[in-house]
Amino acid sequence: MKTPQLWRLGIKDLQMMSAPRHRAHLKKPTWIIVLISLVSVFLVCAYVFPPRNTSACYVFSSSSCKVFADWLPPAPARELTDEEVASRVVIRDILNTPQAISKNPKIAFMFLIPDALPFEKLWDEFFQGHEDRFSVYVHASKGKPVHTSRFFLDRDIRSEKVVWGRISMIDAERRLLANALKDPDNQHFVLLSDSCVPLRDFDYVYNYLMYTNVSYIDKFRDPGPHGSGRYSEHMLPEVEKKDFHKGSQWFTMKRQHALIITADSLYYTLFRDFCKPGMEGDKNCYSDEHYLPTFFHMLDPAGIANWSVTHVDWSEGKWHPKSYKADDVSMELVKNITSITENVHMTSDEKKEIQIRPCLWNGERRPCYLFARKFFPETLDRMTMLFSNYTKHSLG
Ligand SMILES: *[C@@H]1O[C@H](CO)[C@@H](O)[C@H](O)[C@H]1NC(C)=O
Ligand SMILES: *[C@@H]1O[C@H](CO)[C@@H](O)[C@H](O)[C@H]1NC(C)=O
Ligand SMILES: *[C@@H]1O[C@H](CO)[C@@H](O)[C@H](O)[C@H]1NC(C)=O
Ligand SMILES: *[C@@H]1O[C@H](CO)[C@@H](O)[C@H](O)[C@H]1NC(C)=O
Ligand SMILES: *[C@@H]1O[C@H](CO)[C@@H](O)[C@H](O)[C@H]1NC(C)=O
């Protein structure tokens, strides 16, 4: 696909370059024209055949080929902007710096809620007895919550209003990350909502997240209207359509990833300005579904798992995922979710292509999910009752 385009480009460029000169020397001997033609052919060949392994080199002598390979851009890759160079060098350096070993490594549980946390009692049980191995942060976007658990007292951070689907959602996530990063003991960061519940006991969650070598950031390629269809070319040149990915916002991430998200302003700004509801008239783009998947796809694809450890049930095929009522909650439901070892993504085009991948933890197959949503507040009592049961009789 690329070659004919380049060929055209090459010819066009050469015509533009050589045309004026051509006219000026019209009366000069024809050997100049011949020379220009030869150089043109040479240039075109050099463009068409990748410089590294050029068949063109067989046509001309290998030494002249080498000279050309030196000044021609290697592949038609575009030149990075100053901001991209700066951004990439910072990100690369953070990713390559080994993490400082903390004597008391903790997991930061970051709750992004409106003004109440209906499952506080359940989380209190979850945290019970593990006091030194976690920290809690609460971002309440609609008003100060009344806390009942000692683990949540004085854990509210300065918060702002969050509008669903708007950049204020990413702002809140970054605010939580920045606050949690202040504690150097925090090594892994979990984002949770008011409708999330734990599916495992604390030790299981702690070991799963603390000893993993990736961040659990959901990501897949969706060529449909709810995927690439939301992309805006205003993001060029930094974000190309092929880089645009989709995924659930509920992440867990390693400290280095939390740092690069906090340090990023280039990609954040592009998503803030060009991925929002009502973009270009009728196009709806939601930064919370695209910013992190796209960012990590471009900057550290091997560093993320490509699925979220927070389960949600989209099987009803509606605009919103299934919300569990008290009657839906049972041991069987919990067992069903915790026994899943494959993650599933479906594209939003007519093909509705289903992508199924095994959940790999440091290369070995493990259950995918540690948390689940969305649970109505009315399920609290049943979930709390079940919790002690399913965590005591540890599930497979
Ligand atoms: C370059 O071409 C040579 C000869 O055709 C081949 O042996 C070599 O593997 C090629 N190198 C690359 C990087 O493709
Ligand atoms: C996630 O996907 C990327 C490619 O998009 C891949 O390089 C990476 O290995 C995947 N992560 C895991 C843990 O398999
Ligand atoms: C659990 O999974 C089984 C087998 O897929 C299914 O038949 C059953 O309805 C599920 N139960 C619940 C409560 O989701
Ligand atoms: C994580 O561990 C697996 C298994 O050892 C390995 O294949 C993979 O490359 C590792 N990923 C990273 C980002 O270190
Ligand atoms: C909890 O487990 C016990 C023993 O396995 C069982 O008898 C009891 O019914 C369970 N409770 C719930 C709410 O499932």
Side-chain angles (χ1 to χ4, degrees):
M1 285 301 281
K2 276 230 163 98
T3 313
Q5 222 169 351
L6 277 175
W7 175 271
R8 262 205 322 271
L9 228 172
I11 300 268
K12 215 167 103 209
D13 288 349
L14 290 167
Q15 278 172 345
M16 277 165 64
M17 274 159 51
S18 59
R21 233 176 293 164
H22 206 119
R23 266 197 302 278
H25 303 285
L26 218 60
K27 297 221 168 83
K28 289 273 165 83
T30 44
W31 67 263
I32 292 189
I33 296 168
V34 171
L35 186 68
I36 288 174
S37 308
L38 266 176
V39 169
S40 305
V41 167
F42 194 87
L43 273 172
V44 167
C45 284
Y47 258 109
V48 169
F49 300 105
R52 200 82 58 69
N53 221 14
T54 54
S55 319
C57 294
Y58 295 114
V59 181
F60 305 94
S61 83
S62 61
S63 62
S64 67
C65 183
K66 196 165 180 295
V67 172
F68 259 96
D70 281 342
W71 66 263
L72 274 175
R78 82 191 154 80
E79 194 175 17
L80 299 184
T81 63
D82 287 351
E83 288 79 9
E84 281 173 293
V85 173
S87 163
R88 276 163 198 255
V89 79
V90 169
I91 289 168
R92 202 40 51 203
D93 218 64
I94 293 173
L95 292 178
N96 288 339
T97 306
Q99 274 175 286
I101 313 243
S102 161
K103 273 204 209 104
N104 181 29
K106 290 193 282 191
I107 293 185
F109 291 85
M110 311 183 300
F111 292 87
L112 181 50
I113 64 170
D115 52 4
L117 185 54
F119 293 100
E120 196 168 309
K121 190 173 133 206
L122 177 58
W123 288 107
D124 183 274
E125 281 205 16
F126 173 81
F127 290 134
Q128 212 57 259
H130 307 283
E131 281 72 2
D132 291 336
R133 297 195 293 155
F134 70 90
S135 40
V136 168
Y137 301 85
V138 180
H139 184 291
S141 57
K142 281 192 179 161
K144 212 167 160 44
V146 179
H147 294 299
T148 51
S149 159
R150 64 193 162 110
F151 301 126
F152 288 82
L153 281 181
D154 299 321
R155 302 310 300 171
D156 299 310
I157 66 162
R158 197 195 68 78
S159 309
E160 282 188 21
K161 208 173 129 197
V162 170
V163 183
W164 184 79
R166 299 262 166 190
I167 198 70
S168 51
M169 186 75 91
I170 303 288
D171 294 339
E173 292 177 10
R174 283 161 54 107
R175 204 172 285 127
L176 278 163
L177 283 174
N179 276 276
L181 279 166
K182 288 198 273 180
D183 183 345
D185 286 335
N186 286 333
Q187 299 296 309
H188 206 98
F189 302 74
V190 183
L191 183 69
L192 296 158
S193 79
D194 51 317
S195 75
C196 287
V197 299
L199 295 171
R200 303 282 186 171
D201 65 20
F202 185 88
D203 281 323
Y204 188 102
V205 170
Y206 184 90
N207 293 333
Y208 196 105
L209 296 180
M210 200 57 88
Y211 303 112
T212 179
N213 64 3
V214 293
S215 290
Y216 293 95
I217 293 164
D218 189 31
K219 183 200 88 178
F220 77 112
R221 209 172 143 60
D222 178 0
H226 302 311
S228 309
R230 294 173 176 172
Y231 169 77
S232 160
E233 287 189 349
H234 283 103
M235 289 192 182
L236 286 172
E238 290 90 350
V239 180
E240 294 175 40
K241 194 168 186 173
K242 69 173 170 56
D243 298 322
F244 199 72
H245 280 67
K246 181 177 173 164
S248 152
Q249 83 183 99
W250 306 105
F251 63 74
T252 85
M253 59 170 76
K254 302 192 300 177
R255 190 171 177 94
Q256 286 157 320
H257 285 156
L259 278 171
I260 62 177
I261 286 302
T262 307
D264 174 49
S265 98
L266 173 63
Y267 299 96
Y268 164 81
T269 309
L270 287 170
F271 278 84
R272 182 194 65 197
D273 296 345
F274 306 120
C275 176
K276 52 189 178 185
M279 185 69 205
E280 289 160 8
D282 59 346
K283 197 141 84 181
N284 288 327
C285 187
Y286 309 103
S287 281
D288 56 276
E289 292 183 5
H290 300 284
Y291 167 58
L292 291 183
T294 305
F295 180 89
F296 282 101
H297 175 76
M298 294 177 69
L299 298 155
D300 193 17
I304 64 169
N306 307 317
W307 91 87
S308 162
V309 290
T310 298
H311 179 266
V312 71
D313 182 357
W314 284 104
S315 66
E316 292 179 342
K318 297 196 186 135
W319 188 247
H320 286 289
K322 179 174 173 63
S323 291
Y324 300 101
K325 300 194 195 71
D327 283 348
D328 299 321
V329 171
S330 63
M331 194 59 127
E332 192 187 332
L333 175 72
V334 175
K335 277 191 175 151
N336 273 9
I337 299 175
T338 50
S339 61
I340 298 171
T341 58
E342 284 173 338
N343 60 85
V344 179
H345 290 108
M346 191 170 77
T347 63
S348 64
D349 52 2
E350 318 85 72
K351 281 196 232 151
K352 302 223 173 297
E353 186 198 325
I354 293 176
Q355 308 165 1
I356 301 176
R357 296 204 176 81
C359 293
L360 299 179
W361 185 88
N362 293 352
E364 73 184 74
R365 194 144 175 172
R366 296 265 314 253
C368 304
Y369 301 112
L370 304 177
F371 313 105
R373 63 187 197 105
K374 311 178 72 154
F375 287 71
F376 279 119
E378 64 176 49
T379 61
L380 173 65
D381 288 343
R382 279 192 82 108
M383 279 309 295
T384 313
M385 210 166 64
L386 276 177
F387 180 76
S388 50
N389 246 27
Y390 67 66
T391 53
K392 263 190 219 100
H393 315 284
S394 160
L395 304 167

